[in-house]
């Protein structure tokens, strides 16, 4: 049995992002792909930063000033991508204050283990559903070898911070991540296969077994509450609970609920929940 | 396997400076993917001239410039009329240009008005209302002089109408400026009711941000194209034999965009009509620059289907020319009778027109709205009348034409040569400049008479001719001796003259050296009786020269101010005609015509001459269609939006650029007989634009053969030689195809062509073809079906090309004969490849045999130079059995041929770079897979191919260079495709055939194309 995080109700979407370079080197936001893109729900619409800096001393800092206080259980950089041939690993960190943070994930190193141009997701836990007042500071820095400068371009599709259903276990391991493909496949007269190459997208089917009634529908942050996000409402992020970020990438899905989760009573105060999330918006 | 296929669409003008229209010393550079930055770091301070780009002629448009650097004398930026040639001065210093000068002035016609100056980093804004002709300039969000474009108030300038170019003068060395028309930043500051110029939106079937190294770099394509239906495009052409009398058309399709979040709501505020659209297809992860153009279009309209979706309805880019031929209107003077009516228009060499009478008092008859057209014959009641006595050229300011010197007796018609382009030979004498005189003669001119007090030529603000009426003819000649030596007008050439003179009394005559020197057949070819500008054209039948004279009998006093002379080229051949109609008169730019490609090749194959006359407006696209109909051709706009032309031709012997068979045809292949309802065995040309009724001819003409011509609609009707196929017998004697051709031989060519094309039954083939998604293959083998040609070499074999039917049913297959028992002969070719580990596959078609006697056929593919590797295939051509080479070879059944494949993989050793293919007609005795030098025999082969990879792609014909198979979306009308399927066999065709594509309806995301081909 594995655990998982269901993150929804994004709180940064109405905030005002600002950018600062901290430490040695320099970094600037590319004007044609501005920082405002971090608030766009399409993760392909990225914020692009040209950076030049050193390991641990050069920080690209995105600060979000929230319109109102919000509940943050998890923060994710959805779809980050380093361009160029010599991309270093990166370190990520999320805080709500520099001086006296309620939330501070510390620096987390994200080693590059995906193919070029494949967007990655990194998720941080805030240690429960914390209420943060006004600020969310998201930092990234190149993690080059000591003394070696790193220069390049870093894209971030979205910073997503919201409430989360955190299941330490109980998610069936047979959860599916599959690809939906509405292409029409045809055969030639000689039996060759051809397809209308329509955009494909991933679909995740998640089944949580025997979650308690609070997680199912009693708490403000519950599957029932998440159900209200179905259809045209807000986006959700589902990722497995694992220390290996490859699994985050492979099994996590940022998208929308194709339908409200099915919450089925199995006895006592326990429920089974089925949720389907489709990638894309 | 490539990534997901992506359709990317740019909506809006590219707006960039072409390299051909730059100010001297100015340099253009890329900004946001387009050449939008202009800098000048040499050439001094200040420097005149300007860089410009074709822009708009309609709409309400908003644009921003970023003043990157202001140095020295700064920058002028603004607009200039497209019709105005670039002047040797700064922008704004002419009547046809308007500019803002960064030193704090707006300028028009040289007049300066003070506004706010700009510094480096400022934004200069410009709004133009094409309807009212209002132009506003502003800076950093503030319009000058309380301007308010949104409410149409306080424009900086008014009366700025017509087609405009954007232009910039980098007046101060070191200054730089960038056009900033794009997207969101421009939308934010655009006044209400105006539309930003430049790229308005970028959308795609899947969202992506372009790479920093891409072009354009770092921009976002919004993945909002609905995926529940593959958008389609259509490119089709039609031909006069199928659609006689129908107008031009050009549908393209529509595309639905998802707009759930309202990101595209801004479109409702903008004028999207005629906004250019560029559609490209590529693959996920590719650079945008590697995407291929799939279609170019214009937005016809954008519709909100519902609150979540927007539909873009696209039109053919040629829709810009669905406008009337921009024929000029007569002005109030001197055209007292015709004010505000359209002036006639003449293209090419035509007879006869009935020009309107514009000035009854002076008997003036204009024939052409431009000044550069020439009359070479005038008839009255059908009788030719004499130039210089019966008529002369008219003195008009706004049109070319004639002046009758005697009152017309009846119907007045003229033969005209229409619009022309100026040639290089040009003479320009300005007699008003005192420095241009030597003594009392203009420099270089001599007098053809003896001066006295009453008869003389003197400088008096021009060359003043005085004649008292009793003296000699007062003549001024160029050069010395009778008639002088210059200007020498060449035989068979065509010239334009323009004379500005003030006539106080008498008449100015322009003379050539004797009758027969020009097609006017007169010594005196033009007479100028009133002050003004006399313009005329003449065609020289002999080498001659011109002189100016004043008639002694009439006497008089006149002054010639200027005399200009050009050699000109008549606009009558296809490239010039299309440029005149579509660019000069229409709404396309020169870059929108495929002048160097299909237009040039169609013109070279059939150098026809066209003629057209209109005394009322015609739609340009209909006229282009009529031009194409005249040569049994068509036009369309290709995937890049360029206008291309093609002709109906027999595809049998043309090079096919795509091959379709069982492997890549989906669904049925349908065949329909071409009924050619518009076909006729007669073709008519040399149209008479003003046929006479019998009562309009004088008796003297009625008795001559000319009377028939004068009354006919066409002066020429030709019939082709030979017989139509049975299906087209009804075309015999049908009403002639009417053309705009003006040369008898051209008319005959078309009649002959139709007889040849329809001497056999013709069919339309309708089918859906698919190209594989994988990158297209390249055939590395040269001369793939010409084995006698270099770089093929014969080793102990005799090769004869073109002696047998190929799998496509043409005599393009070759025989290779090995007649020696001493060595194993082969035809071979070598290629150079990298010393890596690439795999190669060779393939060739070999004719099937029967009877159990044929020697074993073989091919060997080897790589040498390092550690050699090779692979062989040995085949029994009776059965197709692979006798040797099972591990690396294959044999495919290809109807009357086998296709034999063999693959080899390089081993990466140093210098292993020589790839060699041997085609061996007799590798061994019949049925043996063991090579034997003693075997003798002949094989019939066709279609060799060597490509990378372990499979053979459909065959690609090569000649002198390696060739790449086309992608489906590159198929265009006029392309020839080969089709070989069981169905074509069923239809009675031995194997397959080449077909001429006339319609390609493709889907962007899948790579299927619905085709209609003819042959």
């Amino acid at each position: 049995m594995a655990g998982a995080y269901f993150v929804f109700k994004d709180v940064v979407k109405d905030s005002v992002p600002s950018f600062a370079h901290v430490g040695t080197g320099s970094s600037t936001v590319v004007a044609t792909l501005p920082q405002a893109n971090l608030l766009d729900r399409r993760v392909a619409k990225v914020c692009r930063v040209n950076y030049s800096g050193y390991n641990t001393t050069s920080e690209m800092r995105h600060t979000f000033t929230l319109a109102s206080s919000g509940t943050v259980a998890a923060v994710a950089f959805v779809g980050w991508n380093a361009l160029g041939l010599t991309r270093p690993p990166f370190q990520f960190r999320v805080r709500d204050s520099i001086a006296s943070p309620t939330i501070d994930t510390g620096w987390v190193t994200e080693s590059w283990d995906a193919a070029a141009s494949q967007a990655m997701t990194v998720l941080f836990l805030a240690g429960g559903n914390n209420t943060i007042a006004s600020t969310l500071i998201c930092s990234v820095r190149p993690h080059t070898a000591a003394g070696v400068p790193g220069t390049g371009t870093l894209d971030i599709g979205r910073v997503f911070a919201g409430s989360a259903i955190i299941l330490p276990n109980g998610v069936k391991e047979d959860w599916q991540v599959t690809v939906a493909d509405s292409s029409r496949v045809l055969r030639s007269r000689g039996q060759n296969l051809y397809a209308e190459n329509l955009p494909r997208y991933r679909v995740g089917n998640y089944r949580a077994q025997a979650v308690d009634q609070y997680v199912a529908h009693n708490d403000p942050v519950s599957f029932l509450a998440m159900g209200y996000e179905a259809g045209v409402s807000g986006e959700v992020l589902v990722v497995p609970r694992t220390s290996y970020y490859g699994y985050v990438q492979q099994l996590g899905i940022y998208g929308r609920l194709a339908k409200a989760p099915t919450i089925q009573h199995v006895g006592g105060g326990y429920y089974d929940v089925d949720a389907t999330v489709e990638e894309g918006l | 396997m490539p990534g997901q296929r992506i359709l990317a669409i740019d909506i809006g003008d590219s707006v960039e400076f072409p390299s051909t229209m730059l100010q001297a010393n100015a340099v253009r550079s890329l900004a946001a993917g387009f050449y939008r930055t202009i800098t000048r770091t040499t050439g001094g301070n200040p420097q005149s001239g300007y860089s410009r780009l074709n822009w708009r002629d309609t709409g309400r448009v908003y644009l921003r410039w970023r003043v990157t650097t202001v140095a020295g004398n700064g920058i002028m930026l603004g607009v200039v009329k497209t019709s105005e040639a670039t002047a040797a001065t700064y922008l704004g210093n002419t009547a046809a240009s308007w500019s803002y000068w960064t030193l704090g002035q707006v300028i028009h016609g040289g007049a300066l008005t003070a506004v706010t100056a700009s510094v480096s980093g400022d934004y200069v804004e410009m709004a133009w209302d094409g309807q009212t002709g209002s132009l506003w300039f502003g800076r950093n969000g503030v319009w000058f002089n309380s301007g308010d474009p949104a409410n149409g108030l306080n424009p900086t300038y008014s009366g700025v109408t017509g087609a405009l170019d954007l232009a910039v003068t980098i007046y101060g060395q070191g200054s730089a400026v960038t056009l900033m028309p794009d997207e969101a930043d421009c939308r934010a500051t655009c006044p209400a009711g105006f539309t930003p110029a430049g790229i308005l939106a970028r959308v795609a079937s899947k969202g992506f941000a372009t790479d920093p190294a891409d072009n354009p770099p770092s921009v976002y394509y919004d993945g909002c194209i609905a995926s529940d239906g593959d958008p389609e495009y259509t490119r089709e052409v039609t031909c006069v034999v199928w659609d006689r009398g129908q107008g031009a058309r050009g549908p393209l399709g529509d595309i639905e965009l998802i707009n759930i979040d309202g990101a595209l709501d801004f479109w409702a505020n903008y004028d999207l009509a005629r906004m250019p659209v560029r559609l490209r297809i590529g693959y996920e992860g590719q650079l945008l620059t590697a995407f291929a153009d799939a279609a170019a279009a214009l937005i016809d309209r954008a519709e909100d289907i519902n609150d979540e979706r927007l539909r873009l309805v696209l039109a053919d880019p040629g829709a810009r020319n669905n406008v009337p031929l921009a024929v000029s209107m007569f002005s109030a003077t001197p055209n007292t009778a015709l004010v505000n009516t359209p002036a006639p228009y003449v293209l090419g060499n035509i007879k006869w027109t009935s020009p309107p009478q514009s000035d009854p008092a002076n008997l003036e008859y204009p024939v052409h709205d431009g000044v550069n057209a020439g009359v070479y014959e005038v008839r009255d009641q059908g009788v030719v009348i004499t130039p210089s006595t019966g008529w002369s050229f008219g003195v008009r300011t706004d049109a070319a034409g004639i002046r009758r010197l005697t009152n017309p007796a009846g119907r007045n018609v003229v033969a005209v040569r229409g619009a022309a382009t100026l040639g290089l030979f040009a003479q320009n004498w300005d007699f008003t400049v005192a420095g241009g005189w030597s003594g009392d003669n203009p420099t270089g001119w001599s007098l053809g008479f003896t001066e006295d007090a009453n008869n003389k030529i003197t400088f008096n603000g021009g060359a003043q001719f005085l004649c008292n009426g009793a003296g000699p003819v007062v003549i001024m000649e160029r050069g010395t001796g009778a008639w002088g030596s210059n200007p020498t007008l060449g035989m068979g050439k065509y010239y334009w003259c323009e004379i500005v003179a003030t006539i106080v009394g008498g008449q100015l005559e322009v003379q050539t050296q004797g009758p027969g020197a020009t097609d006017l057949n007169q010594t005196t070819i033009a007479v100028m009786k009133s002050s003004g500008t006399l313009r005329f054209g003449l065609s020289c039948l002999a080498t001659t020269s011109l002189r100016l004279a004043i008639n002694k009998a009439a006497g008089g006093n006149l002054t010639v101010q200027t005399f200009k002379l050009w050699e000109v080229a008549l606009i009558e051949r296809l490239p010039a005609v299309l440029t005149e109609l579509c660019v000069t008169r229409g709404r396309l730019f020169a870059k929108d015509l495929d002048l160097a490609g299909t237009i040039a090749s169609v013109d070279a194959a059939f150098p026809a001459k066209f003629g057209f006359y209109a005394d009322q407006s015609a739609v340009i696209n209909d006229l282009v269609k009529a031009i194409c109909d005249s040569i049994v051709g068509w036009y369309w706009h290709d995937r890049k939006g360029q206008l291309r032309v093609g002709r109906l031709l027999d595809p049998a012997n043309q090079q096919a650029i795509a091959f379709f068979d069982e492997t890549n045809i989906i669904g049925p292949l349908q065949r329909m007989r071409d009924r050619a309802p518009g076909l006729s065995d007669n073709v008519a040309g040399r149209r008479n634009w003003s046929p006479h009724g019998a009562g309009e001819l004088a008796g003297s003409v009625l008795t001559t053969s000319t009377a028939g011509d004068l009354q006919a609609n066409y002066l020429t009707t030709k019939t082709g030689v030979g017989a139509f196929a049975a299906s087209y017998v009804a075309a015999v004697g049908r009403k002639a195809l009417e053309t705009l051709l003006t040369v008898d031989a051209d008319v005959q060519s078309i009649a002959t062509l139709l007889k040849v094309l329809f001497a056999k039954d013709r069919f339309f083939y309708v089918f859906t073809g698919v190209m594989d998604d994988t990158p297209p293959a390249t055939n590395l083998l040269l001369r793939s079906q010409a084995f006698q040609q270099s770089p093929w070499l014969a080793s102990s074999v005799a090769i004869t090309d073109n002696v047998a039917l190929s799998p496509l049913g043409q005599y393009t297959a070759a025989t290779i004969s090995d007649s020696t028992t001493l060595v194993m002969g082969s035809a071979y070719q070598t290629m150079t490849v990298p010393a890596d580990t690439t795999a190669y596959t060779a393939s060739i078609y070999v004719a099937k045999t029967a009877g159990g006697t044929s020697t074993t056929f073989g091919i060997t593919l080897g790589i040498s130079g390092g550690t050699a590797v090779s692979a062989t295939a040995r085949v029994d051509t009776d059965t197709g059995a692979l006798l040797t080479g099972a591990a690396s070879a294959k044999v495919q059944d290809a109807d009357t041929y086998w296709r034999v494949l063999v693959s080899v993989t390089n081993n990466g050793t140093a210098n292993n770079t020589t790839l060699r293919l041997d085609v061996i007609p007799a590798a061994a005795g019949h049925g043996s897979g063991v090579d034997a030098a003693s075997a003798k025999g002949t094989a019939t082969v066709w279609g060799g191919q060597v490509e990378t990879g372990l499979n053979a792609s459909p065959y690609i014909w090569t000649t002198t260079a390696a060739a790449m198979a086309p992608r489906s979306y590159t198929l265009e009308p006029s392309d020839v495709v080969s089709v070989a399927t069981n169905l074509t066999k069923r239809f009675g065709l031995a194997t397959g055939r080449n077909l001429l594509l006339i319609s390609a309806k493709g889907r962007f995301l899948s790579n299927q194309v619905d085709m209609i081909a003819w042959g």
Side-chain angles (χ1 to χ4, degrees), chain B residues 392-472:
Chain B
S392 183
F393 295 99
V395 183
R396 309 227 58 86
T397 55
D398 56 354
I402 63 162
R403 159 183 273 198
R404 284 298 302 268
L405 302 176
T406 55
N407 268 316
R411 180 94 178 271
N412 202 41
V413 296
V414 296
V416 192
R417 289 192 181 88
T421 51
L422 300 182
L424 289 177
F425 172 78
Q427 304 284 330
N428 181 5
W429 293 285
D430 186 349
F431 303 123
T432 64
V433 182
W437 285 67
S438 305
D440 67 349
N441 291 336
T443 304
W445 291 74
S446 61
L447 304 188
F449 69 105
T450 305
E451 284 185 302
D452 58 29
N454 295 320
N455 302 290
K456 60 183 179 183
I457 294 175
T458 55
F459 173 66
N460 184 15
Q464 184 181 23
F465 289 59
L466 279 175
C467 177
N468 69 358

Side-chain angles (χ1 to χ4, degrees), chain B residues 989-1003:
Chain B
L989 310 167
T991 46
R993 69 192 309 173
N994 277 8
L995 301 172
L996 181 66
L997 205 61
I998 56 172
S999 168
K1001 182 177 180 183
R1003 298 179 185 87

